[in-house]
Amino acid sequence: MKGALSRLALALLARDEQRPSLKFEHVICVSAATRDVLVNAGVPISHARIIHTGLDMKLYLNGQQPDARGNPGELRLLYAGRLSADKGVETAIQAMKHLGVERGLDHVTLSLAGSGTTEYTNHLRHLVTRLGLERCVTFLGWVPHEEMPRLMAGFDVLLLPSKWPEPFARVVLEGLVSGLVVVATPSGGTGEIIRDRENGLLFTPDDGQDLAKKIASLAVDKNLLEKLRNAGRKTAREQFTLTKMLDSYEEFLEEIAGPHDKH
């Protein structure tokens, strides 16, 4: 019986080896980073069209107030996303310790908007307490998406400290168009949006000291802050609009459909 089963297994394997390889003629990826991950995993889509996410800018531009960001002497940092280890939230908290102890920048505050497991959220709260950061680190909890434009209007800097390669983080675009300077890791698709010291700042993943250094440069150089804020808005408005994304999809679909009779 065992011999018969073995022969059957070998026959099935031989049949699988003769199976034609997968072929994807028309593929869209949200970022080149996503395409490269799939290609490295053996998915044959090196020809994939890259169409980045686009944002409805009106949602974030309407009702913005020029003085909504609090006291001029403060630097208000925001993290918005899932509270989990792969998102690098601990790195942001550790950076706050470096800013206060090593650089004496006690006018910098960090707000964490998002939720996670009870266990991990408690871990982060204990870390804040252990480092003595209760005064400058605040947990906002989960914030509904429709409230994000109003929330972002009150901050100066958006942190994206992800350790894992983000495919294409929409929150980066939301921060840019809202006038926040984005300080992020270059992992995944984020490096296709942010160019270091041109329209944002990039730092080494899982490196709280490097993140603190980047934040400090904004805290002490208001000209750099304004330069990156304006450049970030321009990047979002020129390259990552909803209209641009939809036009790219339409063009791609027309190419697939091929020539057609307009009469």
Side-chain angles (χ1 to χ4, degrees):
M1 183 65 177
K2 289 183 179 179
L5 290 175
S6 297
R7 287 193 297 273
L8 176 60
L10 289 173
L12 291 172
L13 287 172
R15 188 182 68 182
D16 286 345
E17 289 174 359
Q18 295 171 7
R19 185 177 55 196
S21 59
L22 293 175
K23 182 179 181 181
F24 301 93
E25 292 187 8
H26 308 296
V27 184
I28 295 174
C29 287
V30 74
S31 65
T34 299
R35 176 200 61 199
D36 294 345
V37 167
L38 292 172
V39 169
N40 291 336
V43 182
I45 58 166
S46 58
H47 60 290
R49 178 74 59 86
I50 308 303
I51 300 181
H52 292 133
T53 297
L55 202 64
D56 184 351
M57 302 292 167
K58 297 190 298 295
L59 298 176
Y60 292 83
L61 296 175
N62 290 343
Q64 285 189 0
Q65 300 296 326
D67 59 348
R69 301 186 193 278
N71 297 327
E74 295 179 346
L75 187 70
R76 303 185 65 189
L77 315 178
L78 174 67
Y79 167 85
R82 189 176 69 253
L83 300 184
S84 61
D86 59 326
K87 287 290 192 175
V89 188
E90 291 182 55
T91 306
I93 294 172
Q94 291 162 357
M96 293 298 294
K97 183 66 173 180
H98 293 305
L99 286 168
V101 173
E102 300 172 9
R103 299 178 181 271
L105 297 174
D106 56 2
H107 62 292
V108 180
T109 61
L110 170 63
S111 296
L112 305 173
S115 60
T117 65
T118 301
E119 180 182 8
Y120 189 72
T121 302
N122 287 338
H123 166 71
L124 293 177
R125 290 183 181 276
H126 291 154
L127 177 62
V128 168
T129 300
R130 179 165 59 83
L131 296 178
L133 299 174
E134 299 97 324
R135 183 194 63 80
C136 57
V137 177
T138 303
F139 289 82
L140 301 179
W142 178 76
V143 177
H145 188 264
E146 60 270 19
E147 294 184 16
M148 288 304 297
R150 178 195 56 78
L151 176 69
M152 287 190 168
F155 289 87
D156 305 291
V157 177
L158 176 71
L159 302 184
L160 190 78
S162 297
K163 298 180 184 180
W164 81 297
E166 298 273 358
F168 195 84
R170 176 189 171 92
V171 71
V172 173
L173 305 184
E174 295 172 336
L176 291 178
V177 74
S178 298
L180 280 70
V181 176
V182 175
V183 183
T185 58
S187 304
T190 305
E192 297 170 40
I193 310 171
I194 301 299
R195 299 179 299 278
D196 192 40
R197 297 189 70 84
E198 291 185 22
N199 63 354
L201 296 175
L202 297 174
F203 73 97
T204 306
D206 204 21
D207 189 335
Q209 286 189 325
D210 192 27
L211 174 54
K213 178 181 177 182
K214 300 293 185 175
I215 295 170
S217 68
L218 298 173
V220 302
D221 189 346
K222 296 304 180 182
N223 289 331
L224 176 63
L225 180 72
E226 286 304 314
K227 169 196 166 184
L228 296 179
R229 176 177 284 165
N230 293 332
R233 275 200 182 112
K234 183 178 180 181
T235 296
R237 291 175 178 177
E238 293 183 354
Q239 300 180 33
F240 300 106
T241 65
L242 180 62
T243 299
K244 183 178 178 64
M245 181 188 75
L246 294 177
D247 286 346
S248 296
Y249 272 106
E250 184 176 357
E251 179 183 349
F252 182 73
L253 293 174
E254 286 179 348
E255 290 179 11
I256 293 174
H260 59 281
D261 188 352
K262 297 182 179 180
H263 299 288

